[in-house]
Amino acid sequence: MIVLDTNQLRHAAFPHGAVLGMLRKIAEISGMTLALPEMVVIEHVAHHRHEIEVSLTSARKALAALRAVPQLLVAGETILVWLV
């Protein structure tokens, strides 16, 4: 059995990385299985959840900045006006 920890999983670029592909092939050839302890899965999901939260915060800040830009309504079309 090949057991991966959180760091190995990250470096293996789970789920489609080349390193993970090689490990799958080695496990297949040798009749072993790849295993992820429950804590590794929890940590991996938490890491991605954190990345998503950071991205959402950044996107919300960018949207707020765009909403703060004055707009003109000309002939039914919105035109952004940049004040220099």
Side-chain angles (χ1 to χ4, degrees):
M1 178 180 292
I2 301 172
V3 181
L4 301 176
D5 70 14
T6 304
N7 291 326
Q8 292 166 330
L9 191 62
R10 190 174 305 126
H11 292 297
F14 181 80
H16 303 294
V19 173
L20 193 59
M22 285 191 319
L23 288 172
R24 282 185 182 131
K25 196 62 174 175
I26 290 169
E28 179 185 323
I29 290 169
S30 62
M32 294 184 191
T33 57
L34 286 177
L36 298 174
E38 182 179 3
M39 184 50 87
V40 170
V41 174
I42 291 169
E43 289 174 352
H44 190 72
V45 169
H47 173 74
H48 285 288
R49 182 172 288 140
H50 175 72
E51 287 180 343
I52 290 168
E53 288 171 357
V54 168
S55 295
L56 279 173
T57 299
S58 177
R60 286 183 180 122
K61 286 179 183 177
L63 182 59
L66 284 173
R67 286 184 175 152
V69 174
Q71 297 181 2
L72 292 178
L73 193 60
V74 179
E77 294 184 24
T78 301
I79 299 174
L80 295 177
V81 176
W82 296 96
L83 301 175
V84 181

